[in-house]
Amino acid sequence: MVDTAPAETHTSPLPTSTAAPPVPRPPAAAIPERPPAATLIGSVQRAMRLLECVAGHEYGAPAKQLARETRLALPTAYHLLRTLVHEGYLRREKGLFFLGEAAVRLSGSGAKQKRRSTVAATLARWRDAIGVPVYYAVYREGEIDVVCVSDTPGNPAVEEWADFRETGHAHAIGQCLLSQLDDAARRDHLDRYPVQSLTPYTVRDDHSLLRRLERTRRMEPVMERQEYALGTVCAAVPITIGSTAATMAISMPARQADRLLPTVEQLQAGIGRHLGALALSISI
């Protein structure tokens, strides 16, 4: 008799894998991404190479030379050069290409930003060294121009609640700049921006202000106490750069008024070491 019962099936357990666990990939943000070459605009790249090449030729260069130096096909170079001339980035004179007004404006803006950054860095060093807000201003074309202010959240600058240009009689920056002008320039300024009371401590009239300015000695710091803003005292150091009147100033809460003079004297003692950086601001 044949046994028709199904044979017993034995299933072997699966072998334990000995492969190393997968290495976790760093998050996508940790991998610097570079734009794939396909997304770069070749014509822009070639145009920039031409601009850089032209900038390297003080006396201009012809299209054939520019094409050779940038390794561009001559028809491509001609097309890009014509476009750059049309947009004002290049100009053509007697077959030679030079940088145009648009390119000069770009380079001028870059230089201006660099000069402003230099001045800002200088003020920041003084701000950190003496622990108070620091201001830099110049008097040009009949106006008070606050070029740069450096402060911190813990030591904020004075809030410009009344236009600094129109209230030079009330704050140390303006008084210091006006003290460096001749009598005619002072009177011209006051004709345009008459004295007005901002606080109970503000100078009362033009005559009183002019007398104060006349008594100010040439290199003497100028100080004002709550004349521009209640609760704030300020001091400014005169700086003459060529024929331009300039000043560096500080401010602090009125409760610290006893620190005002020694702090501004500390500032004045070190200004000479940074005068070159400040002089850059005249052309900003």
Side-chain angles (χ1 to χ4, degrees):
M1 183 174 181
V2 179
D3 186 1
T4 59
E8 184 177 355
T9 302
H10 299 280
T11 304
S12 301
L14 292 174
T16 303
S17 174
T18 60
V23 178
R25 297 183 64 184
I31 303 175
E33 295 184 358
R34 296 183 61 185
T39 66
L40 299 177
I41 302 177
S43 59
V44 174
Q45 291 178 303
R46 291 187 287 271
M48 296 304 294
R49 280 158 51 194
L50 279 171
L51 279 173
E52 292 175 352
C53 191
V54 172
H57 292 280
E58 181 179 357
Y59 302 104
K64 289 184 179 179
Q65 181 180 355
L66 295 170
R68 183 172 62 254
E69 293 181 3
T70 55
R71 299 181 180 180
L72 294 177
L74 188 57
T76 300
Y78 271 127
H79 175 71
L80 291 172
L81 289 168
R82 284 196 300 268
T83 302
L84 291 169
V85 169
H86 180 267
E87 296 298 325
Y89 290 98
L90 295 179
R91 59 184 174 86
R92 186 177 183 182
E93 293 182 8
K94 298 179 180 180
L96 301 178
F97 291 89
F98 302 83
L99 291 179
E101 291 185 4
V104 172
R105 284 196 300 272
L106 282 177
S107 62
S109 297
K112 180 181 288 189
Q113 290 176 3
K114 184 175 181 180
R115 292 194 295 271
R116 188 176 291 276
S117 296
T118 300
V119 173
T122 299
L123 264 63
R125 284 195 294 271
W126 276 112
R127 175 202 68 203
D128 295 340
I130 61 182
V132 295
V134 181
Y135 310 73
Y136 181 61
V138 298
Y139 192 86
R140 57 177 139 208
E141 299 181 358
E143 299 293 344
I144 294 169
D145 181 10
V146 179
V147 176
C148 190
V149 179
S150 185
D151 64 354
T152 64
N155 289 300
V158 177
E159 181 183 355
E160 187 179 354
W161 72 273
D163 194 325
F164 279 158
R165 294 172 301 175
E166 300 177 5
T167 56
H169 62 282
H171 49 72
I173 289 174
Q175 293 176 18
C176 188
L177 292 174
L178 292 174
S179 73
Q180 298 176 64
L181 306 180
D182 59 33
D183 185 65
R186 291 174 190 166
R187 293 182 181 276
D188 171 73
H189 184 91
L190 294 175
D191 285 343
R192 291 179 289 114
Y193 303 117
V195 168
Q196 53 180 312
S197 293
L198 303 181
T199 77
Y201 304 97
T202 307
V203 64
R204 292 302 180 204
D205 51 57
D206 293 6
H207 181 68
S208 299
L209 176 65
L210 290 171
R211 285 179 56 195
R212 180 194 294 185
L213 296 176
E214 289 168 0
R215 291 195 303 266
T216 302
R217 288 182 288 184
R218 185 171 177 271
M219 298 307 296
E220 183 179 54
V222 174
M223 292 181 284
E224 63 89 357
R225 292 173 171 82
Q226 305 190 80
E227 295 182 47
Y228 176 80
L230 292 175
T232 301
V233 295
C234 302
V237 176
I239 304 171
T240 301
I241 302 175
S243 60
T244 302
T247 182
M248 283 186 69
I250 61 173
S251 65
M252 60 182 62
R255 65 179 181 275
Q256 300 177 12
D258 58 330
R259 292 183 54 215
L260 188 61
L261 181 58
T263 304
V264 77
E265 287 178 340
Q266 180 184 355
L267 174 67
Q268 187 174 28
I271 281 178
R273 295 194 297 271
H274 301 285
L275 195 58
L278 298 177
L280 287 173
S281 69
I282 300 302
S283 57
I284 291 178

